[in-house]
Amino acid sequence: MAARVQISQPGLSVQPDRAVAVHRTLPEEVAVAMVFDGSSAAVMMATPADVQDLALGFALSEGIVTAPDQLDGFELAEHPNGLEARFWLREDRADALAERRRFMAGPVGCGLCGIDSLDAAARDLPSVGDGPRFTRAEVARATDMLRDQQPLHDQTRATHAAGFLLPGAGIVLVREDVGRHNALDKLIGALARQGIDPATGAVVMTSRLSVELVQKCAIAGISTLIAVSAPTAHALRLAQGAGMTLAAFARGGAFDLYSHPHRVTEKVSDVA
């Protein structure tokens, strides 16, 4: 089952001196229900591509499971009003599902809507490991490398992307979605399905650095987060507390380094 991820739409381009007919490619956005053991945990608006990656990444980044082998099965069901990503959990994860249903960090488009307490928004994060080192040049080029691997954005100019950067290898995996946190969940899920340890690389985002991105990366064990735009103040505080390196405004060969700068070195020989 493969839902279309974009449509061609006629429109009118209004310019200062004229109006001309145009056709634009627009990304699809559908409701995706995350269903575990027959019970819906969250519904979000997402691009209907790589939905299994999205669902697995969501389960991992929300603590419903800690490894893919804690899932017994997956099914994608299509309905007139959206999609259901159905997982069946190993029996010993039932308590984790019940607990996490109360404290979801990313159930809808804004990333934190739908949680039912202030404590849930400020949940404690694990400390990330030491992680890999990157040269300044790698960080400075990261968003340009990501930009070269965004086919849906090339067609629509309306989607975010999350990429996985490995030292000395560049960006080796990319996922796209209309939502920045959805793109990150898809990436985390894709890494898990391909057996790639998230702690071995950095995440590169096309968006601002918001709270839910830091939360999801910390839970996944990712120690460096790079983005084209700014961090929020609270996201920076969370990253500092979790030991995570934040590099922001990474574009045009430059970047700002905000926290735990030891993972970004001047040259290759400095990399541990």
Side-chain angles (χ1 to χ4, degrees):
M1 183 184 305
R4 60 181 182 174
V5 297
Q6 72 268 341
I7 64 170
S8 180
Q9 178 67 38
L12 190 67
S13 175
V14 179
Q15 302 171 23
D17 58 345
R18 60 194 175 112
V20 296
V22 294
H23 255 80
R24 302 293 190 193
T25 301
L26 307 179
E28 285 284 8
E29 186 177 23
V30 302
V32 179
M34 301 296 169
V35 180
F36 298 90
D37 289 344
S39 178
S40 179
V43 178
M44 61 188 68
M45 299 304 296
T47 303
D50 304 307
V51 176
Q52 187 171 358
D53 289 340
L54 172 63
L56 176 56
F58 178 83
L60 289 165
S61 68
E62 294 298 335
I64 297 170
V65 298
T66 59
D69 63 5
Q70 294 170 350
L71 297 163
D72 282 338
F74 174 79
E75 178 185 32
L76 184 61
E78 189 169 3
H79 301 279
N81 57 348
L83 301 171
E84 281 189 3
R86 299 171 178 169
F87 273 123
W88 285 267
L89 300 176
R90 207 172 64 189
E91 187 174 351
D92 61 342
R93 298 306 298 175
D95 290 343
L97 173 60
E99 179 66 15
R100 291 309 300 147
R101 281 176 60 83
R102 300 179 56 244
F103 300 108
M104 293 298 180
V108 292
C110 68
L112 284 172
C113 300
I115 58 175
D116 61 4
S117 77
L118 293 177
D119 287 342
R123 58 176 170 162
D124 291 335
L125 296 179
S127 295
V128 298
D130 190 42
R133 298 326 195 238
F134 297 90
T135 67
R136 291 179 182 177
E138 285 178 311
V139 175
R141 293 196 306 266
T143 59
D144 290 334
M145 288 189 285
L146 179 59
R147 181 65 191 85
D148 290 339
Q149 299 186 52
Q150 296 177 240
L152 187 57
H153 183 272
D154 289 341
Q155 295 172 335
T156 66
R157 298 295 192 269
T159 56
H160 283 296
F164 192 63
L165 178 69
L166 286 177
I171 290 180
V172 298
L173 189 62
V174 176
R175 288 293 183 266
E176 293 183 272
D177 197 274
V178 289
R180 61 185 182 272
H181 57 88
N182 291 343
L184 178 56
D185 274 342
K186 285 182 178 181
L187 180 66
I188 292 170
L191 291 170
R193 292 181 66 202
Q194 296 185 30
I196 301 172
D197 184 355
T200 61
V203 162
V204 185
M205 299 294 306
T206 58
S207 64
R208 64 185 172 90
L209 289 171
S210 52
V211 166
E212 79 277 10
L213 299 185
V214 172
Q215 289 175 328
K216 289 175 181 294
C217 282
I219 290 170
I222 296 161
S223 58
T224 299
L225 182 53
I226 303 164
V228 72
S229 192
T232 66
H234 188 44
L236 176 57
R237 287 192 291 269
L238 288 178
Q240 289 170 330
M244 185 184 301
T245 299
L246 288 191
F249 298 111
R251 51 191 170 188
F255 59 92
D256 289 356
L257 197 54
Y258 284 97
S259 59
H260 301 281
H262 64 279
R263 296 187 182 95
V264 180
T265 66
E266 186 171 356
K267 55 186 182 297
V268 176
S269 60
D270 292 336
V271 180

